[in-house]
């Protein structure tokens, strides 16, 4: 994984990492999950996990 991608991922997750999930709102956790799952991955041929899931479910 490229260093810039790692830095961005850590930055997004930093708001919830190391804390009890119960102190965060459901909306905040959903936003973090959507952000992480919406990013393209090299291992998925530059598709995001969300895009790949939709492709697999549509088949």
């Amino acid at each position: 994984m490229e260093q810039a991608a790692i830095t961005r991922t850590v930055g997004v997750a930093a708001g919830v990492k190391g804390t009890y999930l119960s102190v965060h709102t459901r909306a905040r956790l959903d936003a973090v999950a959507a952000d992480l799952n919406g990013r393209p991955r090299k291992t998925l041929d530059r598709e995001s996990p969300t895009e790949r899931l939709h492709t697999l479910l549509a088949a």
Side-chain angles (χ1 to χ4, degrees):
M1 186 180 258
E2 296 176 17
Q3 184 61 38
I6 293 170
T7 302
R8 283 191 305 273
T9 301
V10 169
V12 169
V16 295
K17 184 178 179 182
T19 64
Y20 292 105
L21 295 180
S22 62
V23 301
H24 298 283
T25 65
R26 183 62 171 180
R28 171 72 177 131
L29 296 175
D30 288 344
V32 170
D35 192 28
L36 292 174
N37 289 326
R39 293 178 180 193
R41 302 288 198 281
K42 185 176 181 180
T43 58
L44 297 176
D45 297 323
R46 298 295 175 200
E47 279 188 307
S48 71
T50 302
E51 292 169 331
R52 181 60 61 96
L53 179 62
H54 289 303
T55 301
L56 293 171
L57 292 177

